[in-house]
Amino acid sequence: QVQFVESGGGLVQAGGSLRLSCVASGILFRFKTMGWYRQAPGKQRELVAKISSGGLANYADFVKGRFTISRDNAKNTVYLQMNSLKPEDTAVYYCNADRPYDYWSQGIQVTVSS
């Protein structure tokens, strides 16, 4: 059974930092390219960053230089370090595979105040 459990969200002021974690189960994690996605109110879900099984990372232009994705295959965990947060980063954040499974968790809320 596929499951993703995100943690680490919350409320932060603009310019602040948060670190999200996602523990995956029910998948062959170490072989998967994993991604962080987000969905803001009234907008479609979008890919924020992804990391290959070997650790190669790619970022959406709107987070380049501010966010860092990493993974620990021994812990089936993918991380998203978010620095220099902006109010427009406010969204529900999700993790899933690069080719997403049908299953989506409820995500984790990140709110950035101005």
Side-chain angles (χ1 to χ4, degrees):
Q1 181 179 352
V2 178
Q3 190 172 15
F4 304 112
V5 180
E6 298 93 346
S7 62
L11 173 65
V12 65
Q13 289 188 333
S17 298
L18 285 173
R19 188 192 193 209
L20 304 183
S21 300
C22 171
V23 179
S25 58
I27 66 172
L28 294 175
F29 180 86
R30 66 185 182 276
F31 297 119
K32 296 291 185 181
T33 294
M34 295 299 297
W36 281 97
Y37 301 77
R38 72 185 187 186
Q39 187 168 19
K43 295 187 176 181
Q44 290 190 334
R45 185 177 291 144
E46 59 186 357
L47 180 65
V48 174
K50 61 182 180 181
I51 185 167
S52 72
S53 58
L56 182 64
N58 284 281
Y59 300 92
D61 286 344
F62 50 80
V63 303
K64 278 182 180 177
R66 300 189 298 122
F67 291 10
T68 302
I69 189 171
S70 60
R71 66 189 295 160
D72 185 338
N73 288 338
K75 295 181 179 180
N76 280 15
T77 301
V78 59
Y79 305 96
L80 187 67
Q81 177 66 44
M82 306 186 294
N83 299 329
S84 302
L85 283 160
K86 304 175 180 181
E88 51 263 44
D89 294 319
T90 295
V92 178
Y93 285 71
Y94 306 84
C95 73
N96 207 317
D98 179 38
R99 295 180 180 179
Y101 290 88
D102 289 339
Y103 166 81
W104 291 87
S105 71
Q106 63 182 4
I108 191 82
Q109 177 70 46
V110 171
T111 303
V112 185
S113 63
S114 59

